[in-house]
Amino acid sequence: MATTAELFEEPFVADEYIERLVWRTPGGGSRGGPEAFDPKRLLEEFVNHIQELQIMDERIQRRVEKLEQQCQKEAKEFAKKVQELQKSNQVAFQHFQELDEHISYVATKVCHLGDQLEGVNTPRQRAVEAQKLMKYFNEFLDGELKSDVFKNSEKIKEAADIIQKLHLIAQELPFDRFSEVKSKIASKYHDLECQLIQEFTNAQKRGEISRMREVAAVLLHFKGYSHCVDVYIKQCQESFVKDQLEECRKSDAEQYLKNLYDLYTRTTNLSSKLMEFNLGTDKQTFLSKLIKCIFISYLENYIEVEIGYLKSRSAMILQRYYDSKNHQKRSIGTGGIQDLKERIRLRTNLPLGPSIDTHGETFLSQEVVVNLLQETKQAFERCHRLSDPSDLPRNAFRIFTVLVEFLCIEHIDYALETGLAGIPSSDSKNANLYFLDVVQQANTIFHLFDKQFNDHLMPLISSSPKLSECLQKKKDIIEQMEMKLDTGIDRTLNCMVGQMKHILTAEQKKTDFKPEDENNVLIQYTNACVKVCGYVRKQVEKIRNSMDGKNVDTVLMEFGVRFHRLIYEHLQQYSYSCMGGMLAICDVAEYRKCAKDFKIPLVLQLFDTLHALCNLLVVAPDNLKQVCSGEQLANLDKNILHSFVQLRADYRSARLARHFS
């Protein structure tokens, strides 16, 4: 049976059960298995197994019947216990009902007794209270307050309760007989009311919430309770503003200004929202007075704090920049001598004072400029919000003056002065001509400066007399800087021409234009021409990158004219053979290609004319008059034509002189 029990493992499937039984029976396998299939033996096994299953079924059935009998017996016993518990519960419930009825009876008796006691005690208390009030009233009637409750400040709550009741009683008394005592009571009523409001204010300042609640409860019965509410609101506003501003007012000007701007902005925004509600006919004036009352002590000297902070902040930004460059600022003198030097330099283009080497540093920083403009922008925004409308243009002008001082004078003008001092003399060799970098950065800064002027200053002064003053100040400072830029550019162009002159002096040889072997010249243009053209092209590109607008053409025209003058004067120094003249023409043709990069018609025209003049160096004597009367040379002075003809090596021959004369 143990084996059979194993066959009943869950989950039970009849087909699988039969299969397992067959495979466990010897001879029950297929014919191809290790043992031959024996149907008789399998049948016998099935018969035996069926008998075992029947026996097992009988045993299980007897066990089930026994368990069912036991379950029925226990169910009867449990039902009997439940009936007994129900009877006990009914008895207990009945006892609880009896107890509840008894408690209700006793409570009714107690309430009745309390009502009887209260009916006796209340008239007695009223009588005692009336007696006390009569006593206090007599003191007012006699004109001398003897009770400790009116003299001891710690008993102000009791005194307030008494005077409030006396004040109500006094209202019912006839005026002709009790006018004096009514006046005394009213005076004491007013004094106590003021003391309570002051006590409420002091408690609020100390942050004693429980004392505030206590005093407010006493004031609730007084006429001046609304003043308590007003004091609370005002004190909350002033305490909050004071906490935000007083702590940083002297120690941190930046945070003070930010907090003042933020608080005032939020307050005015709240005022705008309150305007939507019905606060009376003159609500705008009412709210404005409230705001002014809160902020008046801070707004009176706002601009002084703003200017002081802006100056110190701007100075720090500049000093931090120069420190990062390990640069000690040179002092730029002022006064009569400096002004005289400035006028002489602008008129004569002479470098007054020693030249300094700045190692290519412009001492201009867009980061510094952006920081200065950002600080000024915030100052303009605060000025717009915090200034009185009548003071706004004047305050905005003061902020603009600080910007001019630190951005235009201390930074840009200083860089221009330093840049001018760093421009080498025109005869210096291999000089670093970095002043054009100064020009480029100064132009960028001017645009930023002008944008802030238009975007942030103009709206604040557009309808005031300060507009013309600001415009004039801006015009003066820009004209002053433009004069220095013009001076620096002019001296830089002179240096460029000087560099080109050094190249020509070093590279150009007399034999270039008068070769020893006329029949064996292979070069198309001279080495000096190549180097000069390379230098000029670099400078043209630099000028284009450094200037903007019409300034590009103006400077390039001036540079082109000086370039032409240099080449013209340079060619006048040599004597030319026939082949040398051809080389000169090739050089000028190359110079003319270089002049095309200028994209200035005048410059190209000058080199076209120079190229035509160089033809006089190689043309046959019989054709000189014809060439001189050509389109490009016909309008030139005859002395200029003659000067070029004189450069020919064969000029002194009688034949050439005769043809040209």
Side-chain angles (χ1 to χ4, degrees):
M1 291 305 295
T3 302
T4 305
E6 292 177 0
L7 296 174
F8 282 97
E9 293 178 355
E10 293 293 336
F12 178 78
V13 180
D15 292 342
E16 292 182 1
Y17 176 77
I18 298 298
E19 285 292 331
R20 289 196 298 270
L21 181 61
V22 169
W23 284 105
R24 292 166 64 95
T25 303
S30 64
R31 294 184 182 273
E35 296 183 7
F37 177 70
D38 188 353
K40 291 182 179 181
R41 190 171 182 182
L42 184 60
L43 177 61
E44 183 182 352
E45 182 65 25
F46 278 166
V47 172
N48 292 335
H49 195 72
I50 291 171
Q51 292 177 354
E52 291 177 358
L53 290 176
Q54 289 175 346
I55 295 172
M56 183 185 294
D57 180 63
E58 292 175 357
R59 291 179 179 176
I60 292 173
Q61 189 63 33
R62 287 195 298 271
R63 186 177 179 186
V64 168
E65 292 175 355
K66 184 178 180 181
L67 290 173
E68 287 178 348
Q69 292 175 358
Q70 184 178 353
C71 183
Q72 291 175 357
K73 181 180 179 182
E74 290 179 355
K76 291 179 180 179
E77 293 176 355
F78 181 76
K80 184 178 179 181
K81 289 182 180 179
V82 169
Q83 289 177 352
E84 292 175 356
L85 289 173
Q86 286 178 342
K87 291 180 180 179
S88 300
N89 185 48
Q90 288 177 352
V91 173
F93 181 75
Q94 184 176 0
H95 286 214
F96 275 120
Q97 281 185 328
E98 294 174 356
L99 180 61
D100 183 61
E101 291 175 357
H102 186 66
I103 291 173
S104 298
Y105 175 76
V106 173
T108 302
K109 292 290 186 182
V110 170
C111 290
H112 179 67
L113 180 61
D115 292 339
Q116 290 180 335
L117 291 174
E118 184 178 1
V120 173
N121 188 51
T122 299
R124 180 178 176 278
Q125 287 181 341
R126 290 177 178 173
V128 172
E129 185 175 351
Q131 184 183 13
K132 288 182 180 180
L133 288 175
M134 291 173 65
K135 174 186 173 184
Y136 296 133
F137 185 83
N138 285 333
E139 292 183 10
F140 280 99
L141 193 62
D142 295 339
E144 183 179 358
L145 300 179
K146 300 178 181 179
S147 300
D148 182 60
V149 70
F150 294 119
K151 296 180 179 181
N152 191 345
S153 59
E154 296 182 358
K155 296 183 178 181
I156 188 172
K157 181 179 178 180
E158 297 177 28
D161 181 61
I162 293 170
I163 201 67
Q164 196 269 338
K165 293 176 180 178
L166 289 177
H167 186 264
L168 292 176
I169 294 172
Q171 302 301 317
E172 304 297 329
L173 298 176
F175 182 79
D176 53 348
R177 293 178 56 190
F178 298 96
S179 59
E180 184 177 354
V181 70
K182 290 177 69 173
S183 175
K184 292 178 181 178
I185 292 174
S187 176
K188 189 64 176 177
Y189 178 92
H190 178 71
D191 291 342
L192 282 175
E193 186 179 55
C194 292
Q195 291 180 33
L196 287 169
I197 293 176
Q198 185 61 42
E199 178 61 23
F200 180 86
T201 303
N202 296 336
Q204 186 176 1
K205 290 180 179 179
R206 295 190 300 266
E208 298 176 357
I209 305 299
S210 58
R211 180 59 177 166
M212 291 169 60
R213 185 183 296 111
E214 182 181 352
V215 174
V218 176
L219 273 169
L220 181 62
H221 303 289
F222 280 76
K223 293 180 179 180
Y225 179 71
S226 60
H227 294 296
C228 175
V229 177
D230 295 338
V231 167
Y232 175 75
I233 295 174
K234 180 180 178 181
Q235 190 66 29
C236 282
Q237 292 172 331
E238 291 181 350
S239 297
F240 180 74
V241 171
K242 185 176 181 180
D243 291 342
Q244 293 288 319
L245 297 178
E246 287 298 332
E247 185 176 350
C248 58
R249 189 171 190 173
K250 296 180 180 179
S251 60
D252 190 347
E254 179 182 13
Q255 193 61 45
Y256 168 76
L257 290 170
K258 287 182 178 178
N259 289 351
L260 178 59
Y261 176 77
D262 179 63
L263 289 172
Y264 191 80
T265 301
R266 288 162 55 190
T267 304
T268 52
N269 290 341
L270 176 61
S271 174
S272 299
K273 293 179 180 179
L274 291 175
M275 291 282 289
E276 300 173 3
F277 298 96
N278 185 15
L279 302 178
T281 56
D282 201 13
K283 54 187 175 182
Q284 184 172 1
T285 304
F286 170 70
L287 292 172
S288 299
K289 286 182 178 180
L290 285 180
I291 295 174
K292 188 175 181 180
C293 180
I294 296 171
F295 290 96
I296 184 65
S297 62
Y298 304 103
L299 298 180
E300 285 178 340
N301 65 338
Y302 148 72
I303 192 60
E304 302 302 331
V305 179
E306 185 72 79
I307 295 299
Y309 165 72
L310 188 58
K311 285 184 176 181
S312 63
R313 178 66 177 172
S314 300
M316 185 198 73
I317 291 173
L318 289 178
Q319 190 59 47
R320 187 170 57 191
Y321 167 71
Y322 294 120
D323 289 344
S324 69
K325 299 292 183 181
N326 293 322
H327 175 73
Q328 183 66 36
K329 285 189 73 174
R330 299 165 58 246
S331 110
I332 299 175
T334 57
I337 297 178
Q338 181 63 25
D339 293 341
L340 178 61
K341 286 184 177 181
E342 184 66 20
R343 287 196 296 270
I344 294 173
R345 183 175 66 185
L346 293 176
R347 293 185 180 182
T348 63
N349 199 26
L350 294 175
L352 300 178
S355 176
I356 63 172
D357 186 4
T358 59
H359 304 287
E361 178 61 57
T362 64
F363 293 107
L364 285 173
S365 168
Q366 287 195 31
E367 180 181 357
V368 168
V369 173
V370 169
N371 289 337
L372 290 175
L373 292 176
Q374 181 63 24
E375 293 292 340
T376 311
K377 175 186 174 184
Q378 294 174 358
F380 281 135
E381 291 175 351
R382 289 192 291 262
C383 176
H384 188 199
R385 176 69 70 176
L386 301 176
S387 295
D388 188 88
S390 60
D391 297 331
L392 178 58
R394 182 171 61 254
N395 292 346
F397 178 75
R398 292 184 64 182
I399 294 173
F400 175 66
T401 302
V402 175
L403 176 64
V404 170
E405 176 186 353
F406 286 93
L407 175 62
C408 298
I409 298 176
E410 292 295 328
H411 190 55
I412 305 176
D413 191 67
Y414 175 77
L416 295 180
E417 287 287 345
T418 305
L420 287 172
I423 298 176
S425 61
S426 59
D427 57 352
S428 299
K429 295 181 180 180
N430 301 319
N432 181 12
L433 305 179
Y434 81 98
F435 190 79
L436 291 181
D437 296 333
V438 177
V439 175
Q440 179 187 12
Q441 294 184 32
N443 283 335
T444 302
I445 294 172
F446 280 151
H447 290 310
L448 295 174
F449 171 73
D450 192 58
K451 187 176 188 308
Q452 183 169 90
F453 183 91
N454 294 325
D455 293 349
H456 297 98
L457 177 60
M458 286 293 289
L460 307 183
I461 61 172
S462 58
S463 58
S464 73
K466 285 293 179 181
L467 174 60
S468 58
E469 191 173 350
C470 286
L471 290 173
Q472 186 61 44
K473 190 174 187 64
K474 175 189 172 186
K475 179 182 177 183
D476 293 342
I477 196 70
I478 290 181
E479 286 181 352
Q480 177 185 347
M481 292 184 183
E482 284 180 344
M483 290 175 64
K484 293 182 180 180
L485 287 173
D486 291 344
T487 301
I489 292 171
D490 184 62
R491 291 175 57 191
T492 299
L493 293 179
N494 284 341
C495 288
M496 290 179 182
V497 174
Q499 300 276 32
M500 293 155 62
K501 190 177 294 186
H502 281 299
I503 295 173
L504 291 172
T505 302
E507 300 294 334
Q508 198 82 72
K509 300 176 182 178
K510 291 185 178 181
T511 56
D512 287 344
F513 302 118
K514 204 172 181 181
E516 297 177 358
D517 186 357
E518 291 280 329
N519 298 320
N520 194 24
V521 178
L522 300 178
I523 60 174
Q524 296 180 347
Y525 33 76
T526 64
N527 190 48
C529 173
V530 174
K531 290 192 175 181
V532 168
C533 288
Y535 179 82
V536 170
R537 287 190 173 97
K538 288 181 180 178
Q539 303 314 312
V540 169
E541 184 66 22
K542 194 167 187 179
I543 290 172
R544 290 193 185 280
N545 293 334
S546 303
M547 309 290 170
D548 58 0
K550 296 180 179 180
N551 293 330
V552 177
D553 291 345
T554 302
V555 176
L556 284 178
M557 180 183 292
E558 183 63 28
F559 182 44
V561 170
R562 298 188 190 190
F563 174 35
H564 169 266
R565 185 185 305 120
L566 172 67
I567 301 303
Y568 178 86
E569 293 174 352
H570 174 70
L571 293 174
Q572 294 280 331
Q573 301 175 16
Y574 298 93
S575 176
Y576 299 87
S577 65
C578 182
M579 184 54 67
M582 294 299 297
L583 282 174
I585 292 175
C586 291
D587 277 4
V588 174
E590 196 64 23
Y591 291 138
R592 186 171 60 176
K593 287 181 183 179
C594 186
K596 289 181 180 179
D597 294 343
F598 286 68
K599 298 180 181 179
I600 304 296
L602 175 62
V603 176
L604 186 58
Q605 181 183 350
L606 290 173
F607 277 95
D608 285 341
T609 303
L610 182 60
H611 187 269
L613 284 170
C614 288
N615 287 331
L616 298 177
L617 301 175
V618 297
V619 69
D622 295 338
N623 296 330
L624 275 176
K625 285 188 177 181
Q626 181 182 354
V627 172
C628 289
S629 61
E631 182 180 353
Q632 291 184 321
L633 301 179
N635 295 326
L636 292 181
D637 187 275
K638 193 171 183 180
N639 292 328
I640 296 176
L641 301 176
H642 193 195
S643 66
F644 260 81
V645 174
Q646 287 179 328
L647 300 177
R648 292 173 61 128
D650 58 353
Y651 172 73
R652 296 191 179 277
S653 68
R655 182 184 175 193
L656 181 60
R658 184 178 68 251
H659 279 83
F660 188 73
S661 62

